[in-house]
Each structure stands twice: as C-alpha cells, then as structure tokens.
Amino acid sequence: MSLDALMGKIVARGDLRERLALLPRPWVFTNGVFDVLHRGHVSYLHEARALGQTLVVGVNSDASARRLGKGADRPLNAERDRAMVVAALASVSLVTLFDESTPVVLLRELRPDVYVKGGDYRIDELEEARVVREWGGHAVVLPFVAGYSTTALVRRIRAGEEQVRPQA
C-alpha cells in the first residue's frame, strides 16, 4: 500500500459518512486510544473486521484520551500518529478521530451494523451498545487478549523492567 493510500484511510469526521457509503456492508465500528499498538490491539482489530466487510476505527483525540484518566502524560503518541499506525493495519478500512469522551455521537452519525469492544468491558453497561441497538445494530464483546496492556507496558518501561512475554 502506498503512503498516499494509507493516509487516505484517515478520514476527517465531516467526510466519514460519505466515504463509508462507498464501502460494503456490514459496517463494523470500534474505538480506542491505541496509544502504543501491541499484539492485543492487532488481534482485536483483526477479529472485529471478521464480523463484517468494513471496519471503521474511531481513535480518541489527544484531549479525549487525557480525559480517560490513563495518566497526565498520556497519550504518549500524538493523535495523528496513532491514527496512522491503526490505518496501516490491513484489517482497518477507515480511521477517524473523535474528541468526545465516548463515541456515542459518532455512532449516531455513522449507524454501523456492529459495534465491538474488547473483553475488558461489559457490553450491557455501555451506552454505545444501547445506541447501536436503536437502529437494529448489534453490540459484540470480543475476548480480552490477556497479557497485553499499554498501561502495563508503560509501567514496566518506567520501572526499567524487562518485558515478560506472555505465552502464545
């Protein structure tokens, strides 16, 4: 994939609905900070894509990520850098940034067929799941990939610990 094609997967929010309309259904949507991309993220995004034909990823803006309470110096990577890394994955169709604390408004704008979150969330407690069901969409929780966490990785780096590799 050329760099232009890669950058073309990152779509301004105002253009997202028009771009998405050109892609095959079902549309799958997920979101996250994706601060330091790791195996857990890659596995999760690959599995999310398998639930439909198009995967749209909403990446928290820097301001939105800071409000999540992950630490005063987080995110480590700037929003455009995080968006580009996520867009580089073959499983990802489009990426957009969102500034709200949750993607509820974005979900209402896009109306995806499937909303996906990782197993560290309880789907029945998420407003996003209730919103997607308003138009007949589905909300799915994918199993958590144990042993992979950006927060834990950052903690180990700061402590000067060697990385302990989880079993395959």
Side-chain angles (χ1 to χ4, degrees):
M1 173 182 300
S2 71
L3 189 55
D4 286 341
L6 170 63
M7 295 306 289
K9 289 170 70 173
I10 302 171
V11 181
R13 188 149 162 190
D15 300 329
L16 189 57
R17 185 76 177 143
E18 182 179 330
R19 287 282 302 280
L20 189 55
L22 301 173
L23 297 174
R25 291 193 99 120
W27 298 335
V28 179
F29 179 91
T30 193
N31 63 283
V33 176
F34 303 104
D35 193 8
V36 177
L37 199 67
H38 54 69
R39 179 181 177 172
H41 292 134
V42 173
S43 298
Y44 167 75
L45 293 170
H46 179 79
E47 289 181 36
R49 173 61 179 264
L51 297 173
Q53 294 296 309
T54 296
L55 176 61
V56 179
V57 179
V59 174
N60 294 75
S61 69
D62 290 345
S64 173
R66 281 188 210 99
R67 287 193 301 272
L68 297 177
K70 293 179 181 275
D73 58 347
R74 299 278 305 277
L76 299 173
N77 289 297
E79 60 193 37
R80 292 294 293 178
D81 297 332
R82 293 182 286 114
M84 185 173 180
V85 171
V86 170
L89 298 173
S91 57
V92 175
S93 306
L94 296 175
V95 176
T96 197
L97 295 166
F98 68 97
D99 200 41
E100 300 86 358
S101 296
T102 72
V104 168
V105 173
L106 183 56
L107 286 167
R108 285 198 168 108
E109 291 171 11
L110 301 180
R111 299 176 62 96
D113 302 295
V114 182
Y115 175 67
V116 179
K117 283 306 279 183
D120 48 340
Y121 290 89
R122 291 182 47 95
I123 204 76
D124 55 324
E125 295 175 359
L126 293 175
E127 182 182 3
E128 295 92 315
R130 288 188 292 279
V131 166
V132 169
R133 291 180 184 132
E134 288 174 5
W135 55 82
H138 303 283
V140 177
V141 171
L142 293 176
F144 182 71
V145 181
Y148 296 95
S149 159
T150 301
T151 301
L153 177 60
V154 168
R155 198 175 311 126
R156 283 197 315 266
I157 291 168
R158 287 184 176 141
E161 297 174 17
E162 289 186 33
Q163 181 174 356
V164 177
R165 299 195 194 298
Q167 297 297 316

